[in-house]
Amino acid sequence: MHVPVQATDREIWRDGIASEGTRLIPEETPLALTYNGGTYAVMMGTPQNLEDFAVGFSVNEGIVGSVEDIRSLDVVRLDDGIELRIWLASEDAARISERRRHVAGPTGCGICGIESIAEAVRPAAVVPQGQTFTPEQIMAAMQAIAPLQSINMQTRAVHAAAFWSAAGGIVALREDVGRHNALDKLAGALARSRADARGGMVLLTSRVSVEMVQKTAAIGAPVMVAVSAPTALALRTAEAAGITLIAIARQDGFEIFSHGSRIVARHATEVADVA
């Protein structure tokens, strides 16, 4: 049986004193994504919210244009892993067979099996302008993540990706041992609920690599906020995609790396509303 966490006994050595105890740790299992019977990728991930993962991976990788392109989806739990069986229209299946990859991706691998440099650094989709946000909203959104991370509260060992909107607060949050998987799960949750990402922000508890920007652009969110720093390529990709990239988000503030015009002080927003 695949569960997201398990209890394990361990020896503890702290302050020169030995003791014993039990700790909850996150599960990690192979997740095979198959399309019309053929294996496309095998990723290591947390066995939770797997329908969201399958849909989000399919959309973010450009395998399908939208959730409507998926004819059926089955989660098949095997002894040594889980198979996500996705069925597409025959014309889509023929296209996928040309780019199929047979890889075992390490935890959170974002571009495992990519065969060309051009494919790895493909341009991200350009996001629409979207709405503006205040610094107070950004801080409140990031502070709302931790209480909702049920697996991380038990294990302190998984990443989270969340979507926040001014109207609904944290609309969805997904966790995984892999940061890319967490974002794919979030993308799938938003796609399945037909959420409009243009009015909110993607929130990450990880660093920002180029794949995370590409996935956020595929979601269509105009703003992404992360607790850690971006890479230089991630920053260039965010600039080209029109994404407001905010990082080093801590309790005392954050740093804006690109397209800062979407972030406005509260008094500026109030003046605009009055006008």
Side-chain angles (χ1 to χ4, degrees):
M1 180 179 181
H2 298 277
V3 294
V5 299
Q6 72 171 42
T8 183
D9 296 328
R10 85 272 196 228
E11 297 181 7
I12 306 168
W13 184 271
R14 295 191 187 280
D15 298 324
I17 300 175
S19 62
E20 296 182 351
T22 301
R23 172 176 285 276
L24 292 174
I25 57 176
E27 186 55 75
E28 180 180 23
T29 190
L31 306 174
L33 295 112
T34 69
Y35 295 89
N36 289 42
T39 301
Y40 184 85
V42 180
M43 311 297 288
M44 302 302 296
T46 302
Q48 187 182 53
N49 302 122
L50 296 180
E51 292 87 354
D52 291 339
F53 175 60
V55 172
F57 181 91
S58 301
V59 173
N60 286 343
E61 290 290 310
I63 296 170
V64 299
S66 69
V67 66
E68 284 77 15
D69 295 333
I70 296 177
R71 295 290 180 85
S72 66
L73 167 60
D74 296 311
V75 177
V76 181
R77 298 178 183 271
L78 309 172
D79 291 338
D80 54 355
I82 301 175
E83 190 171 309
L84 307 177
R85 297 177 181 173
I86 304 157
W87 293 89
L88 311 175
S90 57
E91 57 270 21
D92 292 325
R95 175 174 52 84
I96 293 306
S97 66
E98 298 178 1
R99 57 178 290 195
R100 181 168 291 135
R101 55 191 183 179
H102 299 268
V103 297
T107 300
C109 180
I111 56 174
C112 297
I114 294 297
E115 296 182 351
S116 71
I117 292 176
E119 189 175 357
V121 295
R122 67 187 186 277
V126 178
V127 302
Q129 175 59 33
Q131 68 182 68
T132 59
F133 302 90
T134 67
E136 291 79 11
Q137 287 177 318
I138 294 169
M139 298 297 294
M142 291 301 290
Q143 290 171 11
I145 295 178
L148 300 177
Q149 288 185 257
S150 60
I151 299 178
N152 195 56
M153 284 192 291
Q154 298 176 75
T155 66
R156 302 299 179 190
V158 298
H159 293 291
F163 183 78
W164 182 95
S165 72
I170 299 292
V171 175
L173 182 146
R174 295 293 182 267
E175 296 179 279
D176 199 279
V177 291
R179 57 196 172 92
H180 301 93
N181 294 346
L183 188 50
D184 280 334
K185 288 179 178 179
L186 176 66
L190 296 176
R192 296 175 71 198
S193 65
R194 275 61 173 184
D196 185 356
R198 293 174 296 178
M201 302 181 286
V202 166
L203 314 176
L204 305 172
T205 62
S206 64
R207 68 181 177 87
V208 184
S209 57
V210 63
E211 314 95 282
M212 304 298 274
V213 176
Q214 291 168 336
K215 292 176 187 294
T216 298
I219 290 172
V223 177
M224 62 187 305
V225 188
V227 300
S228 298
T231 66
L233 180 56
L235 174 54
R236 292 194 295 270
T237 304
E239 289 176 337
I243 291 176
T244 299
L245 174 54
I246 299 172
I248 325 294
R250 301 286 190 268
Q251 291 184 344
D252 61 344
F254 51 83
E255 300 177 18
I256 304 173
F257 287 82
S258 64
H259 297 282
S261 61
R262 289 194 183 94
I263 311 305
V264 297
R266 177 184 296 173
H267 66 82
T269 305
E270 293 170 349
V271 169
D273 291 341
V274 171

